[in-house]
Amino acid sequence: MGDTRGSVQVIDTHAHLDHERFRDDLDDVIARAKAAGVWPVIEVGSDLATSRAALGLVRRYPGLLAAVGIHPHEAKTASDAALETIRAMASEPGVVAIGEIGLDYHYDFSPRDQQRRAFAAQIAIAKEVGLPIVVHDREAHADTLAILKSEGAAAVGGVMHCFSGDWKLARSVLDMGFYISVGGTLTFPNATSLRDLVARLPLDRLLLETDCPYLTPVPHRGKRNEPAFVVLVAEELARIKGVNVHEVATETTRNASILFRMANLLRLNAHC
Ligand code: NI
């Protein structure tokens, strides 16, 4: 327990490296991630432009992976043509998921009926192309769960990114075969209930993420988040679970490789 010698190999399953805050030093950010043992990174789109940018990053950084989709904030842009573009992008090399998709009733940047429609439509696309989904749910637990069920999302599986739900929601999505992803929030001093929840969740269903540039873990809060910092989340998860950080790394990497169907991931990771 507590042995942190040797390099840790983990995956950042949720990043937004296309964000303007990475514009000037992305090569350095990627180099720091790899040096910290964080690879691959999954770059997640939130509209057509950022999904397209994710495909560009796949070409620029070999091994980097992508999710394409329309975020609930942007659901008002999810026209039939836009959804058709997402469907087309989903079969591009390096795309491992549809996301991020879901519901956000905290900000309500798009009308709720449009959020629900875009969410359902993109679950249908995921089922059509055979990719898992990356789900954003903020203050919309009941509707998120209802849509996951009514649209048959269990057929493709997915991850509840930056999980903010309670035990009941966690239990329901785990029963559907979903994974639960935790990020920098796990290290926040006031996140006691999240830590208590995570302590009860099975390690074989957890993923690690940064959601960078947002949600920077302690002790870097106030600064920009970046993939290398996901190691701090792994360490916090290890502390909560009372296991070695290497066990957290191995388990969460295996989980990600199963969910995102990255057959070569474990091998790649062992050699990077
Ligand atoms: Ni995100």
Side-chain angles (χ1 to χ4, degrees), residues 211-222:
D211 203 17
C212 62
Y214 314 108
L215 301 176
T216 312
V218 172
H220 300 297
R221 280 188 88 180

Side-chain angles (χ1 to χ4, degrees), residues 41-63:
V41 171
I42 301 180
E43 170 75 5
V44 179
S46 49
D47 59 10
L48 287 189
T50 52
S51 294
R52 205 169 277 124
L55 300 181
L57 290 176
V58 167
R59 290 188 290 272
R60 182 169 158 191
Y61 299 107

Side-chain angles (χ1 to χ4, degrees), residues 103 116 119-120 123 142-153:
L103 303 174
R116 288 188 286 263
F119 186 25
I123 294 171
D143 280 7
T144 298
L145 188 58
I147 291 172
L148 289 174
K149 284 186 173 163
S150 66
E151 301 306 315

